Amino acid sequence: MSYLEATNDLYREAALTPDVGLCCTTNPVWELPGLKIPKIMQEMNYGCGSTVHARDLTNNPSVLYVGVGGGMELLQFAYFSRQKGGVIGVDVVDEMLEASRNNFKVAEAENDWFKSEFVELRKGDALNLPVEDNSIDVAAQNCLFNIFKEDDLKRAIEEMYRVLKPHGRLVMSDPVCEQGMNEILRNDDRLRALCLSGSLPIKDYIKALTDVGFGTIEIRARKPYRILDPKNYPTDELIYIESIEVAAIKDPMPDDGPCVFTGKAAIYYGSEDYFDDKKGHVLLKNQPLAVCDKTAGALAALGRNDIFISESTYHYDGGGCC
């Protein structure tokens, strides 16, 4: 059995018998006017964060969500879309698609504004998406891509890139791990399917996205996720896993490399009203400006004693230098 077959079996079981502890997210349930998320959707929220951000969802975007779970994030996306077929959900597991269809009926009963036709469910594989080229404004996946091994991960990201419109965005939440994992953990199909042993370091995660062509990367959140301890897992050391929320934007790749925002800011505190680096970055006195890591490095290299560059907070919410 391949690791992908093991993954499909695991989520087939989770569709038939909801498993509240399958994944762990510290995100509170969305509370918006008129939005009620059915309990069954909350129980089947097999994610490690959130991919739904209001600032991504203006002007009635077309939305793709891969790996439907119990339909909770599909419902949240539909809250902003509210149009027939405005949200497309893709999953390879028939039982999960059927569970989502049933959950949408519950959501219709609890939400006056919602109609099941707002979400179009399609049987499909993340490695071969049943979606046209350049047709999607916002694509999303939650706690799925970390399962894939290197070649499959590259293919899955390429597929998302293919279906996105120019300047469209891929919004994701996945576990990451800065520690090395032994081969026993890496090759355990079930632990990989459980979103544990496939976790990559953040720099490798970002590289996988920029290698495919995404010109702008935003790390929006970084949170504690899980522990692999020697008593319960085949490891000699305690392994700490976090989850990150990331947006990869299909911008043209700059000549000097991608713009990666990890939550750094620059503050000018000199004698003038502002500092202009003549490269498109103007720092108003004592006003922090979010900067990508590339710009942070260029400003630091100037060697000035009146510009402060903060460390990465791994929280970025727009308004940056690029």
Side-chain angles (χ1 to χ4, degrees):
M1 179 184 293
S2 73
Y3 81 96
L4 292 176
E5 290 172 327
T7 300
N8 292 346
D9 286 347
L10 178 71
Y11 288 95
R12 185 175 295 110
E13 295 170 8
L16 296 172
T17 305
D19 185 349
V20 177
L22 183 61
C23 284
C24 173
T25 173
T26 57
N27 287 66
V29 175
W30 272 75
E31 293 189 14
L32 293 167
L35 174 62
K36 296 181 180 179
I37 298 176
K39 181 180 179 182
I40 184 62
M41 284 187 172
Q42 297 180 42
E43 291 175 348
M44 297 180 69
N45 177 26
Y46 304 138
C48 60
S50 178
T51 64
V52 184
H53 298 263
R55 71 181 177 92
D56 297 329
L57 301 170
T58 59
N59 301 317
N60 297 319
S62 54
V63 179
L64 168 68
Y65 189 79
V66 181
V68 299
M72 188 178 87
E73 291 202 310
L74 290 164
L75 176 64
Q76 293 172 354
F77 280 121
Y79 179 88
F80 292 93
S81 173
R82 303 196 186 194
Q83 54 186 318
K84 184 177 180 179
V87 181
I88 299 171
V90 173
D91 206 297
V92 72
V93 179
D94 290 320
E95 290 82 358
M96 197 64 80
L97 290 168
E98 184 61 25
S100 289
R101 289 190 185 94
N102 293 334
N103 292 349
F104 289 144
K105 294 176 184 176
V106 179
E108 277 190 293
E110 296 186 12
N111 292 272
D112 293 339
W113 60 269
F114 179 68
K115 296 180 176 61
S116 292
E117 66 180 20
F118 291 169
V119 181
E120 179 185 345
L121 294 175
R122 299 181 186 178
K123 171 75 177 286
D125 189 332
L127 307 181
N128 296 281
L129 291 173
V131 180
E132 295 179 359
D133 296 357
N134 304 307
S135 62
I136 298 296
D137 294 298
V138 178
Q141 65 84 20
N142 195 333
C143 214
L144 171 64
F145 280 11
N146 74 99
I147 292 171
F148 293 131
K149 295 183 179 179
E150 184 176 1
D151 289 346
D152 290 335
L153 175 61
K154 182 175 184 294
R155 175 64 179 170
I157 296 173
E158 287 174 341
E159 277 292 276
M160 289 291 213
Y161 190 90
R162 173 183 67 80
V163 304
L164 281 171
K165 297 176 183 177
H167 306 292
R169 55 194 59 203
L170 169 58
V171 187
M172 301 166 292
S173 179
D174 271 308
V176 293
C177 182
E178 298 304 311
Q179 296 169 251
M181 290 195 192
N182 61 51
E183 290 302 307
I184 296 176
L185 286 170
R186 288 291 187 198
N187 293 321
D188 187 309
D189 292 346
R190 184 169 178 81
L191 290 181
R192 185 173 282 273
L194 286 168
C195 302
L196 295 173
S197 63
S199 306
L200 296 174
I202 292 176
K203 65 178 180 59
D204 293 348
Y205 190 98
I206 292 172
K207 186 175 186 300
L209 294 166
T210 57
D211 281 352
V212 168
F214 286 101
T216 302
I217 308 295
E218 302 176 353
I219 298 189
R220 295 176 168 180
R222 182 178 182 179
K223 305 174 184 179
Y225 180 62
R226 292 289 180 85
I227 290 292
L228 303 183
D229 67 280
K231 291 182 180 180
N232 295 290
Y233 298 93
T235 173
D236 294 329
E237 63 174 341
L238 200 70
I239 297 176
Y240 172 50
I241 301 175
E242 299 169 289
S243 69
I244 57 172
E245 295 173 13
V246 177
I249 303 172
K250 193 177 177 178
D251 289 338
M253 182 65 68
D255 292 338
D256 57 352
C259 296
V260 179
F261 289 89
T262 62
K264 291 185 177 182
I267 304 176
Y268 168 67
Y269 55 96
S271 57
E272 304 296 326
D273 290 335
Y274 66 90
F275 170 77
D276 186 348
D277 71 350
K278 309 300 182 182
K279 296 181 180 179
H281 311 112
V282 177
L283 305 179
L284 300 178
K285 187 173 181 177
N286 280 324
Q287 296 295 313
L289 175 68
V291 291
C292 70
D293 290 7
K294 184 173 58 179
T295 298
L299 290 172
L302 297 175
R304 297 181 64 101
N305 63 1
D306 55 4
I307 295 178
F308 174 81
I309 308 294
S310 74
E311 297 295 325
S312 296
T313 62
Y314 297 96
H315 176 81
Y316 174 74
D317 197 30
C321 62
C322 303

